[in-house]
Amino acid sequence: MYRSHKCGDLRIENVGIEVTLAGWVQRTRNMGGMTFVDLRDRYGITQLSFNSEKNADLCEKARKLGREFVIQVKGIVIERESKNDKMPTGAIEIEVNYLKILNASETPPFTIEDSTDGGEEIRMKYRYLDLRRNPLRKNLELRHQLGIETRKFMDGLGFLEIETPYLIKSTPEGARDFVVPSRMNQGEFYALPQSPQTFKQILMVGGYDRYFQIVRCFRDEDLRADRQPEFTQIDCEMAFVEQEDILQTFEALVRHLFLSVKGIDLPEFVRMTYAEAMENYGSDKPDLRFGMEFNDLTKLVKGKGFPVFDAAETVLGICATGAASYTRKQLDALTDFVRKPQIGAQGLIYCRVNEDGSLKSSVDKFFDETALKAWAHQMNAQPGDLLLILAGNTDKVRKQMSELRLEMGNQLELRDSKIYRPMWVVDFPLLEWDEESKRYYAMHHPFTSPKMDQIAWLDSDPGKVNANAYDMVINGVELGGGSIRIHDQGLQAKMFEILGFSKEEAEKQFGFLMGAFKYGAPPHGGIAFGFDRLAAMFGGTDSIRDYIAFPKNNAGRDLMIDSPSSIHQDQLTELALKLSEA
Amino acid sequence: MYRSHKCGDLRIENVGIEVTLAGWVQRTRNMGGMTFVDLRDRYGITQLSFNSEKNADLCEKARKLGREFVIQVKGIVIERESKNDKMPTGAIEIEVNYLKILNASETPPFTIEDSTDGGEEIRMKYRYLDLRRNPLRKNLELRHQLGIETRKFMDGLGFLEIETPYLIKSTPEGARDFVVPSRMNQGEFYALPQSPQTFKQILMVGGYDRYFQIVRCFRDEDLRADRQPEFTQIDCEMAFVEQEDILQTFEALVRHLFLSVKGIDLPEFVRMTYAEAMENYGSDKPDLRFGMEFNDLTKLVKGKGFPVFDAAETVLGICATGAASYTRKQLDALTDFVRKPQIGAQGLIYCRVNEDGSLKSSVDKFFDETALKAWAHQMNAQPGDLLLILAGNTDKVRKQMSELRLEMGNQLELRDSKIYRPMWVVDFPLLEWDEESKRYYAMHHPFTSPKMDQIAWLDSDPGKVNANAYDMVINGVELGGGSIRIHDQGLQAKMFEILGFSKEEAEKQFGFLMGAFKYGAPPHGGIAFGFDRLAAMFGGTDSIRDYIAFPKNNAGRDLMIDSPSSIHQDQLTELALKLSEA
């Protein structure tokens, strides 16, 4: 062993003992005849002291240590003269009598501090240096702990972690697959799984009852800031259950994680239908840390001669508590906000409810004080509040208002990152109509079970059918989602038909699943959680990249190993592949 | 919930309560007016009883249930008239008053019994049915438990499980990579990892100190019975350690697994150098459940006029205790065994040490009783023993004798599957000379550290240098292996040079690692265990396929999902790939 203790171990009780430490030089300071070195490892920092009067050579050697040198020292634990009560080891230091340089270091291209001066690109290239910084270390420790606690909880409930294959079969439904050419079966390809969906259903048919897996998944999509081509899921499935069993089980999992990892006892999970969520928050993942629900003003304001309202399918308002004091400039900024192309509103109507009870709107020309009072009354506005109103097509105005609501939540500091408001959104529609391709798509996936009492509508009005599908949402972030599955081969065949699969396509891609359903498939359902996102939520930040040891950039590249890269011609030849001309 | 209890739950204490069960019909039996159904789930079997006098319709319905139907029943727990003490639930049965068929089943293509009548191919195609059989279920439960206990132990020692990427970079050293074409970077490829080797070393450079991961790895090799294109490793790495630290840590892990999962307290781990193992057992993974060490007879037998011995570089003997009674037929069979092409010996010399002390050999023409006595004496043979002797080139005769030793171990029933003899093989050679390509290959991998006191030989006689490399072997099976790594950029560059890498190639493939070594790489080392093989060893069988939920066959195919398969032309176009003409 290169060390008797770690750099976070030693305390005042250890004064007098001889220790051996190893780690990285965080910094060196010279003060008169003394040289101090902060020695760092994963567990903390310990101060080393070198006295030039006692040992000039050793002190000289210490002075020459560069940042990030790896050293081993022996010495005696002594009490510090000036203690640092911000450090767990701040009461002691090591009076060093032996120093060995285990490895030198060039000067790092950015500082290894909690706040670094390195840009994102250089930090990804030198990821091994970025990983030395406390914030990243804490993130990976948190992620580890979440994994341990998840497995502990699931194991305790009798769930088996069963590994499913990574080399599977390409299916065009859903996102784009990464494919893997087969050398032994030339011209054929494996695909990397977008999720172990069909395998976990097969496990239920196989009688495994309670399955989970923390598993890598792959999607070849154009990347956004918060997407990675490979990501990790907590993937779960249960047999002989109804929706309520799943909700209870996984509410308990997430409750356990918050309690064991963060010491937070989550409040009760709100249950809300998809329809309610869309109506009141314009989103299937509402942030419930604050109210500001939508108020439908359509009936109240239409037909009063204001063309914008009169032409609108829907007029929605929100009441921003205490925001009547917003200046003209602030209101203009809000208008600019809703007019941004990614939000797309035409304009914003506001009405201040002044402290004296008077009302002042941006549409005073069309609505007198009495009319405005009726708005304020319906929206339950109090003096000092600000009413914000958008009008237009129902779906669009909901989405716009949802963005505005979140923006107001931010501005009014109603989205406290230390508060967690969990909920289930249930009763999702089974199908989504796509205007462009003139066909239905599965809102969740093609294996999701419709509500059994709405099954007749599958023929008459498929778009009206709801699914036994549910999402877990916390603070406006979708942490997980799932559904009760179809376990009847006839119903599954019908679903494929509605989704536009020919019999041959359905058979080619999912024949094994339909086949499995012939041999006693139990009722089953499940859920999957985004593990990267879960870690980010527990860490209190948005960027999932900071919770992945070796993430890829937006072009899908690993800048550290410089991948993807060209391969040898003989590798291509063995795979019977040629590159197309550019 | 579809059930109040599981099929393994109910006992005599539960008599009188009303229960709801769900599961699969294992079998139905009609006896007079009674129908009995064995209901099965993952947890056990419960007998259901239907009385035609009490409820004729229900009994009739029960009689029509086919094998593997999924049903739900309600009823009262009653005491059985004729108890079955082989079943945990054998004291009770359920007097059923409600029966619902949740799903029908076609007749399975093979029986769902501990011993099935299905061949391997059909069982792989209908894997969901094979997975219902007890032996496979127990294997997957065992595997789950090994995962849980491994993580518990590693977490307890402060190891962090850190996920490394699956989309990495192809490196021609080692086995063949599976590659993944990149759509966003056309003409470029990711590779699937053969192991997270470089990433775990990077994590050590990143200060993570104690890393592990239970992780999938991929090798595109022609498959043998016990190989899979994707397999799972327990992958581990530590910083600031020497070889002894690693051996202690992972000996403790495996000891914990045997104790917690099998209740077995392993004996002390034997330590043996590679040289000793080759000399005494002709193998770097000797089975220590029995002795029968090699005895070098070369000096004793050469130059006595027997051409086979005189021409041989080495003559080796083993003493098979109590096998003097082998018949001529048995001895001929042993000769046939060593002459098999995969073993390749020219012939086998034997010498019986009879109970009366007389000796009888197959080479009596060349060796008289006195000579044979000297053999028996050197080999410490006792009356009743059989000496078996092979001669030839040292390396070859060792391998042949190793096979013969194992065969004799089998024949004499010395390889008890309930006994475990763990060991470490240490001091492996650093390099292997390949005659064909006239170059050295890394015996372990290019990152393995040479013995520091032999480093001068790297220039003068590289083949003589030993490595800080070690394998854990139990009962002749290599469970894991690893090494202390190089952490010095100069030494690593030299290793690449010895292995025939040009500077450019080394830079292109491993530049990031060499780069990382410039910034304070700590001393480090690690180990990886084959998780599939570990599970198989714990299960007491050889076939790793039976411990993988969805294995592939020898052609790399998943027969259930029928993969690999062709993909759409537009997928190829997006990837800028063309299939070569066949």
Side-chain angles (χ1 to χ4, degrees), chain B residues 391-424:
Chain B
N393 160 284
T394 306
D395 286 351
K396 284 184 182 161
V397 80
R398 281 177 173 179
K399 277 187 192 130
Q400 293 155 4
M401 189 57 101
S402 170
E403 296 292 340
L404 180 60
R405 174 179 174 269
L406 293 176
E407 174 62 20
M408 289 309 295
N410 287 336
Q411 293 194 9
L412 301 175
E413 297 181 353
L414 302 171
R415 306 180 75 190
D416 184 340
S417 71
K418 297 217 167 11
I419 288 177
Y420 295 90
R421 289 289 171 265
M423 68 182 302
W424 288 106

Side-chain angles (χ1 to χ4, degrees), chain B residues 431-448:
Chain B
L431 301 162
E432 262 179 320
W433 179 256
D434 182 57
E435 257 312 311
E436 206 171 316
S437 55
K438 302 277 177 207
R439 54 162 278 205
Y440 282 109
Y441 282 86
M443 188 137 179
H444 190 56
H445 56 49
F447 315 109
T448 299

Side-chain angles (χ1 to χ4, degrees), chain A residues 28 35 38 56 72 109 145 156 164 178 194 213 229 235 268 297 347 349 377 389 400 408 411 432 549 559:
Chain A
T28 58
T35 294
D38 280 353
Q72 183 188 38
Q145 210 191 338
T164 52
F178 282 105
Q194 297 183 28
Q213 192 183 188
D235 192 53
E268 206 179 330
L297 300 169
I349 294 101
H377 178 73
I389 297 163
Q400 293 156 4
M408 289 309 294
Q411 292 194 9
E432 262 180 319
L559 296 179

Side-chain angles (χ1 to χ4, degrees), chain A residues 332-374:
Chain A
D332 287 348
L334 283 184
T335 304
D336 291 344
F337 174 82
V338 299
R339 278 183 173 157
K340 283 195 300 184
Q342 59 269 44
I343 296 182
Q346 297 293 317
L348 174 68
I349 294 101
Y350 67 82
C351 174
R352 287 202 190 90
V353 185
N354 295 318
E355 294 292 350
D356 63 3
S358 68
L359 293 129
K360 171 74 193 146
S361 83
S362 55
V363 286
D364 284 355
K365 239 196 286 183
F366 301 95
F367 297 92
D368 60 14
E369 181 106 2
T370 315
L372 297 179
K373 280 226 161 104

